[in-house]
Amino acid sequence: MAAHLKKRVYEEFSKVVQLPQEEAPAKKLRLTKPSKSAALHIDLCKASNPTDALQYLLHFARSSVEAESVEGVVRILLEHYYKEQDNSVRLKIASLIGLLSKTQNFNPESILDDTLNTFNTEKSHQVLAQLLDTLLVIGTQLPESPIVRHRLIEVAYKHLSDTYFGVRNKCLQLLGCLGNVDTPLNKDGQGLVPAVIGGSAPGVSGGVCVRDAQSLISDYFADQDPRVRTAAIKAMLQLHERGLKIQQTIYDQACRLLCDDYEQVRSAAVQMVWVLSQLYPESIVPIPSSNEQVRLVDDSFGKISHMVSDGSWVVRVQAAKTLGNMLQVSPHFLEQTLDKKLMSDLRRKRTAHERAKELYASGEFSSGRKWADDAPKEKVDTSAVNLIASGACGAFVHGLEDEMYEVRIAAVDALSALAQSSASFAEKCLDFLVDMFNDEIEEVRLQSIHVLRQISTNITLREDQLDTVLAVLEDSSRDIREALHELLCFTNVSTKECIQLALLELLKNLTKYPTDRNSVWKCLKFLGCRHPTLVLPLVPELLSTHPYFHTPEPDMDDPAYIAVLVLVFNAAQSCPTMTALFSDHTFRHYTYLRDSLSHLVPPLRLPGRTQAPGGNGIEGSGSVESAQLFLQQSLGRISTIHNLQDPGAQDLLNFTIRDLQRLGELQTELAGAADFSATYLRCQLLLTKALQEKLWTMAVPLCLKHNAMATAAAKQMLEETYKLEFLYSGLENRQVATIHHVRLQAKALQLVLTARTRRGVEPLISVCEKFLQEVESFQRLFVVELPHLQESFVGKLLDLSPKLSACKPGELVKILQTTLRQSGFLNLQLPKQVQRASATIIEPTGESDNPLRFTSGLVVALDIDATLEHVQDPHNTVKVQVLYPDGQSHVIQPKPGDFRSPGPHRHRLITQVYLSHSAWTEACQIEVRLLLAYSSSRLCKAAWSDSSTEGLQPAEGATEGTIPFGKPVKVFIMPKPARR
C-alpha cells in the first residue's frame, strides 16, 4: 500500500515541463566597401619612382569614388602632394582634386582650405596653373557663397603678375567666371584683394586705389603674350555672359585688338566688338582724324566688315557670322558691303566755301592760262575722311568670293539674316545669292538655295536671274534639285516668258530624272497658284488647242502632260475665264486627275457642268469648328456609360467608333484626334465583349470558342495600347495614364484567362507577382493622376492593395475578375492637339508590271522614297520591312544620313534596300512597308516628361516591337538562275 501511494505521489507531483527553445538571434552582417583612400595610400606608397606613381594615379582616375569618401581621398592625395618632388605627379594630383570636387552630392568647401594651402609652397608654374583650374572648378560648384568667391579671387589677383602665361590665363579665367563688376578691389603693397561688403578684407589696410574686375582684366588686353590677350578678352566676354554690364570705355581697346598679329586675338576681338555694339548701339563715337561722328553700331559694323578680308580664314568666318547678327546697322552702311567702291554718301565732302578758304590760305590763285583751272574739283583723301574703312567696302562680295567654302557659307547665312530684316537690302543682294548657285561646293549651293527661299517673299526674279536659277536643275544631286523645286514654289516671277522658261526647264528635269516627278508636279502646282494672270495667255500653247481645228488628245500616261495640266488647273482656280479655253478632252482629264491626284488638282467651277468631285467636301474654318463640336458630342455620349456591362453599351460604342472613323476620313485636321478616340473606344469594346456573362458562368470545356475569343481580344487590346502610346504625338500625362490603365486591364484579363485554362499553382504565382509589380509601378509613375482614377479598375485595385499582396493566386484571380466586371468606364480626355504618325511611300509606286530582274544569290538595290509625318526620332524608330512570297521577312534599319527634314514635323526618307533570293520559276510580288519600332522601357515621352520618373524601372522586361504605319507597296521581282 505504501509503495502504491509513493508511486501515486511521484506520478502526481513529478511533472516534466518542456520550455520552448529560444531561437538564437540572427547575426547581422554589415557589408563594408574597401576604403578608397586606404587603397590609394597603399598604391602610392608602393610607387618607387614618379612613373609608377603616375600609373597608379591614372588607374585611380578611371574608378568611381563615393561622395562620403571624397574628403578622405583628397587628404591622402595632398599628403603625397607635399612629399612628391616630381612636377608631373603634383600636377596630376591637382587635376584629380578638381575632378573629385565635381562628385555628385559632395560639398567641395570642405577641401577648399587644404587646396589653398598648396599655393604657399608651390614653385612650378605648370602646377600653379592646374591648381588655379582646380579652384575654378570648386568656385563653379559653390556659386552662392560670396566668401568662397572672394577668397578664390584673392588668389587670382595675387598670381596675375606671374611670368608664366598659363598662370595668368587661369587667373583671368577665374576673374571672368567669379569676378564682379560693381565690387571695388582694394590694392595695397601685397596685391589686390576684394573689399568685403560692409568692411575691409581681413588683413588688408586702407586701399590706395579702388578698381573693379573689368578694369583689371582690360589691362591685360595689352599683355605681351597673345595667349594672355586672348584669355583677357574671353574673360570679359564671360562677364557679359554672366549678365554683368560691360562698360563702353573698353571699345577703343577692343578695336585696336582687331589689328593684332595673332588670329586668336583678332577672332576674340571681333566677338568683343559685337557685344559692345549690342550694348551701346546708339552711342556716338568719333572718327579718327576727322571731326565726324557716327553711331557705335555703324562704326563697329564697318570695323567687323574690314575683318572679312583678314588673312586668317578662321577670323573671316567669325567676322562673316557676326555681321549677320548686326540688325540695327544703318541702311547705307549695310548696302556698302555689296559694293567694292566707296559710295559717295559714306565720304565727307568739303563745301565750296571750305575749298576756297583753303586755296586762299595757300596763296594760290588762278592765272587764267589754263581753261577752268579754278573749277571746283572733288579731291577726297579716302584715308582721312571716310565714314567707313575702305577695306570694309564690299565685305560680302569678298566673303562670297572667298577661297574657303566655310567663309562663303558664313557669308551666305549672314546675307540671309540681314535680308530678312530689310526688304531693300534683299533686292540688292539677290544677284549675289543667285551667282552662288554656280559654286563648286554642293553644300554652298544648297545653302544658297535655302537662303533665297527664306527671303523669297521680298523679291521678284527677272528673266536673267531665273535663267541662272533654273540651270541648277541639271545638278546630279537630288537634294539640290528638290531644294530648287521648293524655292520655285514660293518665288515670284515678272513675265510670262519666265513662266514658259520655268515650265520648259522643269519638263527637261522630269525627262532626265523621272524620280523627281512628284516634286516637279508640286512645284508647278504652286507656280500656277501664284501666277494665274501670267499663265492665262499661255494656255492655248500649253494645251495645244486651236480655234478651228481639232487637235489630237494627249496621252494621260505622260508625266509631262500631267505636269502641264497641274500648272493650268491651279492657275484656273483664281482665273475663271481660263476654263473657256479648255477643250472637251481637257475637262475629261480634269475629272480623272481630280480623282487620282486630288492633292495637286484643286476643285474648279466649270461652266455648264456640275461641281467637281470633292468640291463639296468639309472645308473652311466653320466646318472645322462644327467637326470639332461633333467630336466632343460623340465623346460626351460615351461618357454616359458608367459600367461596361450596362445594356446598350456595346451598340453605343459601335456607332461612335463608326462615326469617328468617318470623321477622320472627311476632316484631315481632326484625323489624329478622331483615330485616337476610335482606337481607345475599340479597346473598351473588345473588353466588353470579352467580359460577357456567358463566358464566366460556364465551365471552360463548354465554352472553348468563347475563351479563345477572349484571349484574342486581350492580345489585340495590348497591341492597340502600344499603338495609342507610340503612334500618336502630342499626348499629355493624363492620356498616357489612361493608355496604361487599359493595358493593365488587358493584362488582368490575360491573367484571369490563364488561371482558367492552366493547371498548377507554380506558374500562376510568378504571373501574379509580375502583375502586382506592374500595378505598383503604375501607382508610382502616375501618382498625380490617381485622383482621376478612383472609380476605375486601377482605383479599385489600389483600394484593395493590402489584401492583394497577402492573398493566394486563386483569390487574386477572383478579385481581378470581379473588379474587371464592376469597374466604371474611364472617360477619355483629349489633349489640345493629337497627331498620328503616318508614312507615304512615293517610290516604288507598285504600278509597274515589269519585274525587277537579277541573278539569284546576288543582290539588287531597290530605291525607297517616302515621306514621314509627325514621327518622333525617325532615325532610331523607322525601319523598312520586306516580305517575300515564301514568308521570309527582312527588316532593314536605314542610315541616319538617309533622313531629311524639309519642314516641321515632316521627314523624308531616301534610301536603298538590297534584295536577294534564290531562283524563282516566275516573277512574284514582294511587299515593302515601313515600321515604327517602340520599346516600353521608354517611360518618359516628350509630352509628359515633367513627371518624376527618375530611378523607376519598368516592372517587366522592356517590351519591344514594331507597328506598321503607312500603306505597303508591292513590287514585282524575278530572281533568275545563275548561268553556268
Side-chain angles (χ1 to χ4, degrees):
M1 184 67 181
H4 179 66
L5 289 175
K6 184 177 181 181
K7 181 178 180 181
R8 289 188 58 186
V9 169
Y10 280 124
E11 287 178 354
E12 185 175 355
F13 296 103
S14 55
K15 296 182 179 179
V16 179
V17 179
Q18 186 174 1
L19 297 176
Q21 184 178 0
E22 296 183 359
E23 296 181 359
K27 295 182 179 180
K28 296 182 180 179
L29 298 178
R30 183 166 60 92
L31 299 178
T32 59
K33 297 181 180 179
S35 173
K36 294 281 186 180
S37 57
L40 179 62
H41 178 71
I42 294 173
D43 289 340
L44 291 177
C45 289
K46 290 191 299 183
S48 58
N49 53 55
T51 304
D52 293 342
L54 273 178
Q55 291 296 327
Y56 288 129
L57 291 174
L58 289 172
H59 176 72
F60 177 77
R62 290 190 290 267
S63 60
S64 60
V65 181
E66 295 77 14
E68 57 270 12
S69 305
V70 171
E71 189 172 353
V73 171
V74 172
R75 298 276 187 272
I76 296 297
L77 288 174
L78 291 175
E79 179 182 345
H80 287 273
Y81 175 88
Y82 291 114
K83 296 178 182 178
E84 187 59 53
Q85 301 296 324
D86 189 79
N87 291 341
S88 60
V89 178
R90 296 203 309 277
L91 189 145
K92 184 60 182 177
I93 291 175
S95 174
L96 280 176
I97 293 175
L99 187 65
L100 290 170
S101 64
K102 296 180 182 179
T103 305
Q104 191 175 4
N105 300 326
F106 171 69
N107 184 11
E109 192 172 0
S110 58
I111 63 173
L112 179 61
D113 292 333
D114 296 328
T115 307
L116 291 175
N117 291 334
T118 58
F119 285 88
N120 299 328
T121 58
E122 187 55 59
K123 303 299 182 184
S124 172
H125 298 292
Q126 289 84 356
V127 180
L128 278 175
Q130 185 59 54
L131 287 173
L132 287 168
D133 188 69
T134 300
L135 291 185
L136 178 61
V137 174
I138 294 176
T140 53
Q141 298 292 322
L142 301 169
E144 304 298 330
S145 176
I147 298 178
V148 171
R149 186 172 65 249
H150 289 164
R151 293 181 65 186
L152 298 182
I153 294 175
E154 179 182 352
V155 176
Y157 293 152
K158 183 178 179 181
H159 292 86
L160 264 176
S161 58
D162 196 282
T163 57
Y164 180 57
F165 78 93
V167 176
R168 301 203 298 277
N169 283 357
K170 293 298 180 182
C171 290
L172 291 170
Q173 187 177 357
L174 198 59
L175 284 176
C177 293
L178 303 177
N180 203 345
V181 172
D182 54 359
T183 302
L185 313 174
N186 293 339
K187 183 178 181 180
D188 63 356
Q190 302 298 325
L192 293 172
V193 294
V196 179
I197 299 175
S200 61
V204 178
S205 59
V208 177
C209 66
V210 178
R211 306 181 64 197
D212 61 358
Q214 177 179 332
S215 61
L216 188 65
I217 292 174
S218 63
D219 288 346
Y220 287 85
F221 284 179
D223 193 272
Q224 62 181 356
D225 195 300
R227 292 165 289 191
V228 179
R229 297 198 294 271
T230 305
I233 300 174
K234 291 182 177 179
M236 194 71 73
L237 293 173
Q238 184 66 32
L239 290 177
H240 171 70
E241 291 176 1
R242 290 171 50 205
L244 304 179
K245 190 171 184 179
I246 301 175
Q247 301 301 322
Q248 186 185 344
T249 54
I250 65 171
Y251 178 70
D252 291 336
Q253 292 176 284
C255 291
R256 287 194 294 270
L257 289 174
L258 293 174
C259 302
D260 199 274
D261 294 336
Y262 293 87
E263 67 175 47
Q264 295 89 349
V265 180
R266 299 197 301 273
S267 179
V270 168
Q271 188 69 14
M272 186 76 253
V273 170
W274 174 79
V275 168
L276 291 171
S277 72
Q278 302 304 303
L279 293 176
Y280 308 98
E282 300 299 330
S283 298
I284 303 300
V285 295
I287 296 177
S289 305
S290 72
N291 296 326
E292 297 296 323
Q293 293 180 332
V294 293
R295 296 191 310 157
L296 189 144
V297 65
D298 293 335
D299 186 64
S300 60
F301 183 82
K303 288 180 167 56
I304 295 177
S305 297
H306 183 71
M307 301 305 295
V308 178
S309 303
D310 192 85
S312 169
W313 71 271
V314 177
V315 179
R316 298 199 298 271
V317 170
Q318 178 69 31
K321 289 181 177 178
T322 306
L323 288 179
N325 297 325
M326 304 184 72
L327 305 179
Q328 300 174 339
V329 68
S330 301
H332 49 278
F333 279 86
L334 193 60
E335 294 166 3
Q336 178 63 71
T337 57
L338 299 176
D339 193 349
K340 292 183 180 181
K341 296 180 181 180
L342 188 64
M343 295 181 182
S344 60
D345 56 354
L346 290 180
R347 294 185 296 186
R348 196 266 181 186
K349 297 178 287 294
R350 293 174 296 172
T351 63
H353 178 71
E354 290 174 339
R355 291 196 300 269
K357 182 179 179 181
E358 183 181 354
L359 186 61
Y360 175 78
S362 64
E364 297 179 1
F365 294 93
S366 173
S367 62
R369 295 180 180 179
K370 187 177 180 181
W371 175 257
D373 61 347
D374 60 344
K377 297 178 181 179
E378 183 183 352
K379 294 182 180 180
V380 183
D381 185 2
T382 57
S383 63
V385 294
N386 292 347
L387 302 185
I388 184 173
S390 59
C393 299
F396 282 123
V397 180
H398 292 296
L400 296 176
E401 295 174 353
D402 199 277
E403 61 180 348
M404 304 297 293
Y405 83 93
E406 293 90 350
V407 181
R408 300 199 297 273
I409 290 180
V412 167
D413 290 337
L415 276 177
S416 170
L418 295 172
Q420 290 182 56
S421 62
S422 173
S424 61
F425 183 72
E427 295 179 1
K428 290 180 173 62
C429 70
L430 178 59
D431 286 326
F432 299 95
L433 287 174
V434 170
D435 288 341
M436 296 306 294
F437 285 14
N438 298 321
D439 196 273
E440 59 182 355
I441 302 298
E442 178 181 339
E443 187 176 352
V444 180
R445 299 197 302 271
L446 188 60
Q447 187 64 21
S448 303
I449 296 172
H450 289 323
V451 165
L452 198 57
R453 158 70 181 88
Q454 294 170 3
I455 65 174
S456 59
T457 55
N458 298 330
I459 59 175
T460 299
L461 289 179
R462 302 189 308 269
E463 188 172 354
D464 59 317
Q465 295 170 338
L466 183 63
D467 195 13
T468 306
V469 170
L470 294 174
V472 187
L473 288 174
E474 298 180 1
D475 198 296
S476 60
S477 171
R478 183 169 188 167
D479 293 335
I480 295 286
R481 298 195 306 272
E482 291 188 351
L484 193 64
H485 296 158
E486 187 78 13
L487 168 63
L488 292 175
C489 289
F490 300 94
T491 300
N492 299 317
V493 297
S494 54
T495 62
K496 65 184 181 70
E497 286 76 15
C498 293
I499 293 289
Q500 199 167 13
L501 178 63
L503 177 61
L504 181 62
E505 293 298 329
L506 286 170
L507 294 181
K508 289 181 181 179
N509 175 203
L510 190 59
T511 304
K512 188 174 182 180
Y513 301 103
T515 56
D516 293 352
R517 181 180 63 180
N518 290 279
S519 182
V520 170
W521 288 350
K522 177 185 173 184
C523 174
L524 288 171
K525 170 189 174 182
F526 285 93
L527 206 60
C529 289
R530 297 179 71 90
H531 307 91
T533 56
L534 300 180
V535 176
L536 178 60
L538 299 174
V539 170
E541 182 181 354
L542 296 179
L543 298 181
S544 300
T545 58
H546 194 275
Y548 306 115
F549 303 105
H550 287 291
T551 55
E553 181 175 349
D555 184 11
M556 276 301 297
D557 292 332
D558 185 7
Y561 177 62
I562 296 178
V564 173
L565 290 181
V566 169
L567 173 70
V568 173
F569 291 153
N570 282 276
Q573 187 179 19
S574 304
C575 187
T577 60
M578 192 180 296
T579 55
L581 303 175
F582 292 174
S583 58
D584 291 337
H585 61 261
T586 305
F587 291 111
R588 295 197 303 270
H589 295 169
Y590 166 76
T591 306
Y592 171 75
L593 291 179
R594 179 62 187 152
D595 289 335
S596 58
L597 299 175
S598 57
H599 62 289
L600 294 174
V601 179
L604 299 178
R605 293 188 177 275
L606 304 180
R609 296 172 182 266
T610 58
Q611 182 71 15
N616 294 325
I618 297 181
E619 296 176 357
S621 59
S623 299
V624 175
E625 294 176 359
S626 61
Q628 182 74 35
L629 180 61
F630 177 78
L631 176 63
Q632 296 297 336
Q633 291 175 349
S634 300
L635 295 179
R637 288 194 298 270
I638 291 297
S639 62
T640 58
I641 301 178
H642 299 290
N643 192 286
L644 294 175
Q645 301 301 317
D646 291 343
Q650 284 193 28
D651 294 337
L652 183 57
L653 286 174
N654 275 319
F655 293 144
T656 307
I657 291 172
R658 182 198 62 186
D659 293 343
L660 292 177
Q661 288 176 343
R662 182 58 178 161
L663 177 64
E665 295 173 359
L666 295 176
Q667 191 60 263
T668 55
E669 290 84 354
L670 298 177
D675 292 344
F676 181 82
S677 305
T679 305
Y680 173 76
L681 296 180
R682 193 179 300 114
C683 292
Q684 300 297 329
L685 182 61
L686 290 171
L687 183 63
T688 304
K689 292 180 178 179
L691 294 176
Q692 289 178 352
E693 186 73 22
K694 183 188 299 184
L695 175 64
W696 307 102
T697 55
M698 299 175 61
V700 176
L702 299 179
C703 59
L704 293 177
K705 181 178 179 181
H706 294 283
N707 200 71
M709 183 272 296
T711 304
K715 182 180 179 180
Q716 187 177 351
M717 283 178 63
L718 282 178
E719 294 175 355
E720 297 289 347
T721 58
Y722 287 119
K723 289 182 181 179
L724 287 172
E725 184 174 4
F726 297 104
L727 203 58
Y728 295 87
S729 60
L731 302 183
E732 300 173 356
N733 200 14
R734 174 78 65 86
Q735 287 76 43
V736 179
T738 304
I739 294 170
H740 281 253
H741 175 268
V742 177
R743 190 174 301 163
L744 272 182
Q745 287 179 308
K747 291 183 177 181
L749 180 60
Q750 284 184 333
L751 176 58
V752 174
L753 293 172
T754 302
R756 285 170 58 87
T757 57
R758 185 180 298 177
R759 299 299 179 184
V761 180
E762 292 298 331
L764 197 58
I765 293 178
S766 61
V767 177
C768 293
E769 291 178 352
K770 186 177 178 181
F771 179 79
L772 292 177
Q773 290 176 0
E774 291 175 352
V775 174
E776 182 182 357
S777 177
F778 181 93
Q779 182 180 9
R780 288 182 297 176
L781 284 175
F782 304 105
V783 63
V784 180
E785 304 298 332
L786 290 181
H788 305 286
L789 306 174
Q790 292 181 355
E791 298 299 325
S792 64
F793 171 71
V794 173
K796 293 186 177 182
L797 282 185
L798 294 179
D799 294 339
L800 300 173
S801 56
K803 182 179 179 180
L804 294 178
S805 58
C807 66
K808 297 180 180 180
E811 298 176 358
L812 175 63
V813 170
K814 292 182 180 179
I815 294 174
L816 290 179
Q817 179 179 340
T818 305
T819 309
L820 275 175
R821 302 187 62 189
Q822 295 179 354
S823 59
F825 177 77
L826 184 59
N827 294 323
L828 178 65
Q829 298 291 333
L830 279 179
K832 295 181 180 179
Q833 191 71 24
V834 181
Q835 298 293 343
R836 188 180 192 274
S838 61
T840 304
I841 299 178
I842 302 174
E843 294 289 341
T845 59
E847 300 173 353
S848 176
D849 293 332
N850 297 324
L852 190 61
R853 302 179 185 273
F854 61 97
T855 303
S856 62
L858 301 181
V859 296
V860 64
L862 179 64
D863 293 327
I864 303 292
D865 183 3
T867 57
L868 311 175
E869 301 278 350
H870 305 287
V871 178
Q872 299 176 349
D873 191 18
H875 305 81
N876 299 320
T877 57
V878 175
K879 302 179 185 299
V880 181
Q881 184 185 38
V882 180
L883 295 175
Y884 291 93
D886 58 355
Q888 293 186 31
S889 173
H890 294 167
V891 177
I892 300 97
Q893 174 72 51
K895 296 179 293 184
D898 295 338
F899 293 91
R900 282 93 167 160
S901 181
H905 309 296
R906 293 180 58 221
H907 290 85
R908 183 84 176 272
L909 173 61
I910 301 176
T911 186
Q912 282 188 331
V913 174
Y914 294 100
L915 309 175
S916 181
H917 210 280
S918 57
W920 296 353
T921 57
E922 60 183 16
C924 291
Q925 287 181 334
I926 62 170
E927 191 173 273
V928 180
R929 65 172 60 187
L930 295 180
L931 304 177
L932 187 69
Y934 67 86
S935 174
S936 62
S937 61
R938 294 183 296 165
L939 295 177
C940 296
K941 297 185 69 180
W944 51 294
S945 56
D946 295 336
S947 302
S948 178
T949 57
E950 294 182 1
L952 295 180
Q953 298 294 331
E956 59 173 345
T959 303
E960 297 182 353
T962 56
I963 303 171
F965 71 121
K967 186 178 179 181
V969 173
K970 294 184 178 180
V971 181
F972 270 104
I973 65 170
M974 177 59 187
K976 301 181 297 183
R979 294 183 179 180
R980 299 292 181 181

